[in-house]
Amino acid sequence: MATSLDQLRIEAETIWNLKDSLRLIGWDQQIVMPSKASIARSRQMATLSRLAHERLTSDSFRSLLDKAEKEVEGRDQDCDDFCLVRVARRHHDRSVGLPADLVEELTRSCAVAFDAWLQAKPKSDWDLFEPHFEKVLDLKKQVAEARGYAGHPYDAMIDDFEPGMTTAEVTALFDSFRPFLVELVSKISQSSAVAEDGPLDQEFPIDGQDRFSRELAESIGYDLVNGRIDAGPHPFCAAPAGSDIRLINRFQIDNLNTALFGTLHEAGHGIYEQFSPPRFEHTPLRGGCSLGVHESQSRLWENFVGRSRPFWRYHFPRLKEIFPTQLLGYEAEDIYRAVNRVRPSFIRVEADEVTYTLHVILRFEIEVQLLDGSLKVSDVPELWNAKMKQYLGIEPPEHRLGCLQDIHWSDGLVGYFPTYSIGNMIAAQLWERIESEIPDLDSQLERGDCQPLLTWLRREVYDHASKFLPKDLVLRASGQPLSHQAFQRYLDKKYKDLYDLGS
Ligand code: ZN
């Protein structure tokens, strides 16, 4: 006779197959779907979401969970079965408190807000977006109340993306880190050690960018048999199955960084998913354990590997072979310096490693105030600009370069931004451990050999997939609880050297 655990596994497979199908048609919607199909697609997506939600929150699923919990009682808490039941319970508990009407209204309001944002952004017209964002925010507050939270209503938002993380913890991380960043940006802006114009400030034909990007993705371990790379308007990674990973890359003819680092970043997400153990396929344990840990993998490959000297010593000759005219007279060191240029800028996704976190802190602080009601939506533009001035020394001349630049708020993704910076912090902690355990890492990367690094990441991170809470995984893999300190040490060392800032 099948145990309750077996039955739970079968029912979870149905639910997660529905969720994975949503991921697949979501990719299709953004990349190949004819524009006239958008209404039909939104209905198909709504049906799949409703079916998954109904099954996950059903009495029969709860009853299976109750019985399966008894069956795994007393077993090793790290074993797959125990983790499966715990993670499935968590998904059930998070969804069951949400009234279906609220979920539906939020989905519909986000679709309308997204449309308004698409129109408002090019016109820099905050007033056009404001009432829609107000509506979305009001519904998000209702979600927070329905779910409940221990401290701040924003806790219920972060928990969607970084399970177990609280507003107080993120505030403490950012408050400790911000003064260092502001000071480093200010010192760098007074240094003349890196030339204003470099080898990347010219035109690079797209076909060459595409070829080189694919080679880079494969060189770090991205598998094109179980994955693909397509071009699209926004870079992202969709993962409908471990054997079906889809990266989207974006190209700009006068900006080589966009494609190269976009590829390394998304391939980092893709590799994490591709190396998720096949036994977790069609279960809630498949894939990355949180957005922060996911972002640690994209950032690790993009920045810690891809913006390093050894990496460019290996890859520069091939880049020069593809772009001989543009790179005539340049060396690997010139590329290394060019890809690490720090310059305060308005757009988060184009920001360098040093200024990036300040963009995130600004958004986090604004979101927290919006959630607790101490900031009105109509006052966002003014506060945004004031914080840009305070943290980065620049003020956006138009809202499309400021508070209207990101897609997140129109999509209801409140509480998402902190995971970008948490990812950098986790990556730095992992990197310290990796450097101590693989002493000749630099010479391996200089030979183009990523295998020992991949083996380490598989053992310490990828093999665990979603079994553990992110803070537990970080402690196990890096040996340190999450903090900003490793990332601060990394930035301090690298940029003092690059910008001759002394000790
Ligand atoms: Zn990412």
Side-chain angles (χ1 to χ4, degrees), residues 259-323:
L260 297 195
F261 293 100
T263 299
L264 288 170
H265 182 100
E266 301 308 333
H269 284 303
I271 289 167
Y272 188 8
E273 293 289 328
Q274 284 182 331
F275 281 115
S276 173
R279 69 180 188 280
F280 296 148
E281 204 68 12
H282 320 292
T283 80
L285 298 184
R286 175 174 78 81
C289 84
S290 73
L291 284 182
V293 178
H294 235 297
E295 200 63 13
S296 80
Q297 293 314 296
S298 55
R299 297 277 161 186
L300 188 141
W301 288 105
E302 176 195 355
N303 292 333
F304 291 75
V305 175
R307 283 189 160 91
S308 73
R309 267 199 184 95
F311 184 83
W312 284 106
R313 283 185 182 146
Y314 178 74
H315 288 284
F316 179 70
R318 176 61 181 147
L319 183 65
K320 195 167 181 176
E321 205 174 284
I322 296 176
F323 298 114

Side-chain angles (χ1 to χ4, degrees), residues 210 213-214 217 222 224 227-231 246-249 263:
D210 188 31
S213 300
R214 283 170 191 278
Y222 183 69
L224 280 163
R228 50 182 296 135
I229 304 177
D230 297 273
R246 300 165 180 228
L247 310 187
I248 299 305
N249 204 357
T263 299

